[in-house]
Amino acid sequence: MRRIVYICFMVAVSAGCFAQNASENAKIAEIRKMYDSEMEWINIMLGDETIPDDYITAKVRHNLAGTGQAEETIEFFFNDDFDEEVGKDVSYLDFVRKTTVYIIAEGKSYEEFLYDDAGLPAFYYTFFTTYMEDGGHYVEKCVEIRAYYDKGVQFHTICKVGNDKSSLKEAPLTEELENQLFFGFLQFGKLKDALNGMLN
């Protein structure tokens, strides 16, 4: 009897895990489709002079504590829609690309921020170089992180680390990389505030 109960329990757990994985995979596929659609629209908009542009490019040059001089290029891609509550067109942020070049430290980072239809985080991507502990020594590594969000709540992350972009392999998130992901998430709100300050 115990064996039958145990088998039934294991089948129920396995079915639950399978359903959860299927649901997660479906959400990831939906976000990837949203991302591809956004990339396609950006390429069409930037490549066709007859289509009005809805984007802003900001260049920022500043001194970062512990890093030195840095240059940032931030591209805001948005859409305008009439807001009945305020009685005017309002700009809503869809996607942001951000490249940071650290001049003294000679590093570079790249980030992408995709928002869902409700203006909540949907996808975050970053690629950067950093020094990580490897066999008792700190060595320069390339890191790539993808984070997926459902209604602004993170549900799946892929982290890859390697000596260069061609050698990236899946790796667990270290505390340092968790911090990078956390600060990336915080930028979703700051970038929306920046666009609102410029346009709305």
Side-chain angles (χ1 to χ4, degrees):
M1 183 69 178
R2 284 184 184 173
R3 184 176 173 149
I4 292 172
V5 170
Y6 177 75
I7 290 171
C8 289
F9 174 75
M10 291 307 293
V11 167
V13 168
S14 297
C17 290
F18 178 77
Q20 185 177 4
N21 286 342
S23 173
E24 190 173 288
N25 290 338
K27 286 177 188 170
I28 291 169
E30 184 181 323
I31 292 167
R32 286 179 176 161
K33 187 175 177 183
M34 188 189 321
Y35 177 90
D36 290 343
S37 177
E38 187 67 31
M39 291 302 99
E40 184 179 359
W41 168 245
I42 287 170
N43 290 331
I44 290 170
M45 180 182 65
L46 296 179
D48 189 338
E49 293 180 6
T50 64
I51 297 175
D53 294 332
D54 281 326
Y55 78 97
I56 296 172
T57 300
K59 298 262 186 196
V60 182
R61 188 176 169 97
H62 57 134
N63 190 42
L64 299 172
T67 308
Q69 190 72 58
E71 292 180 352
E72 291 181 337
T73 303
I74 309 168
E75 297 173 277
F76 299 84
F77 297 91
F78 55 91
N79 69 76
D80 296 314
D81 199 4
F82 187 77
D83 187 328
E84 292 183 10
E85 287 184 22
V86 294
K88 65 175 186 174
D89 281 339
V90 175
S91 299
Y92 297 97
L93 192 55
D94 293 328
F95 185 78
V96 175
R97 290 192 289 221
K98 181 178 177 186
T99 302
T100 306
V101 177
Y102 303 97
I103 297 168
I104 296 172
E106 297 183 347
K108 186 176 180 179
S109 69
Y110 175 75
E111 295 171 283
E112 294 180 344
F113 306 82
L114 177 68
Y115 296 79
D116 66 15
D117 291 339
L120 297 171
F123 176 70
Y124 172 69
Y125 170 84
T126 184
F127 178 81
F128 59 95
T129 56
T130 189
Y131 284 89
M132 300 178 74
E133 198 270 325
D134 186 14
H137 303 286
Y138 278 88
V139 294
E140 190 174 30
K141 295 284 187 180
C142 292
V143 178
E144 183 179 76
I145 301 173
R146 288 175 171 83
Y148 298 85
Y149 303 87
D150 182 24
K151 297 180 180 72
V153 178
Q154 182 184 320
F155 70 89
H156 186 75
T157 307
I158 301 169
C159 175
K160 294 183 178 180
V161 177
N163 294 325
D164 54 35
K165 200 157 189 174
S166 64
S167 67
L168 292 172
K169 293 183 179 162
E170 278 204 50
L173 283 167
T174 63
E175 185 177 346
E176 176 194 349
L177 299 181
E178 285 276 8
N179 287 336
Q180 172 67 35
L181 190 55
F182 175 71
F183 288 119
F185 177 76
L186 292 180
Q187 287 185 77
F188 276 96
K190 291 178 180 179
L191 292 166
K192 277 178 73 174
D193 290 344
L195 182 76
N196 286 334
M198 289 186 280
L199 297 179
N200 296 324

